[in-house]
């Protein structure tokens, strides 16, 4: 099986809430503030996304190969722009970035 490792940044604005991790729109787990977790996934094509309340991260398309490890950083956006991101930018409130 392949693995996804997600490291969540520790941030003041979201520190009291957990962030859900979704693989193909199915919740596979949650991350607390500053937490790092590993998830096992099947090989094939997948989409991964993070969600908190009604706000989400960008989609990341994966073409998963057996026994590979994929690493990501998860963080929020600039807290001074929060009003924009919880309204018009709700699909980009969180940022899920691949680590090479």
């Amino acid at each position: 099986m392949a693995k996804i490792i997600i490291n969540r940044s520790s941030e003041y604005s979201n520190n009291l809430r957990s962030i859900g991790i979704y693989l193909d729109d199915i919740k596979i787990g949650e991350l607390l503030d500053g937490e790092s977790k590993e998830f096992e996934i099947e090989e094939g094509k997948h989409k991964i996304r993070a969600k908190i309340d009604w706000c989400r991260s960008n989609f990341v398309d994966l073409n998963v190969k057996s026994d590979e490890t994929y690493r990501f950083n998860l963080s929020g956006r600039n807290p001074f722009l929060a009003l924009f991101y919880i309204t018009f930018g709700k699909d980009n409130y969180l940022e899920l970035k691949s680590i090479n």
Side-chain angles (χ1 to χ4, degrees), residues 4-9 14-23 26-40 48-53 55 74 94 96:
I4 294 176
I5 298 172
I6 301 176
N7 303 311
R8 179 179 168 188
S9 298
N14 293 317
N15 68 349
L16 297 177
R17 301 181 296 167
S18 62
I19 296 177
I21 305 300
Y22 292 79
L23 185 69
I26 298 170
K27 189 173 186 177
I28 60 171
E30 292 185 345
L31 289 172
L32 299 173
D33 188 53
E35 187 175 28
S36 181
K37 274 194 181 173
E38 183 177 298
F39 304 96
E40 288 190 355
I48 188 169
R49 177 180 242 184
K51 293 182 185 179
I52 186 169
D53 299 332
C55 298
L74 176 61
L94 300 169
L96 190 59

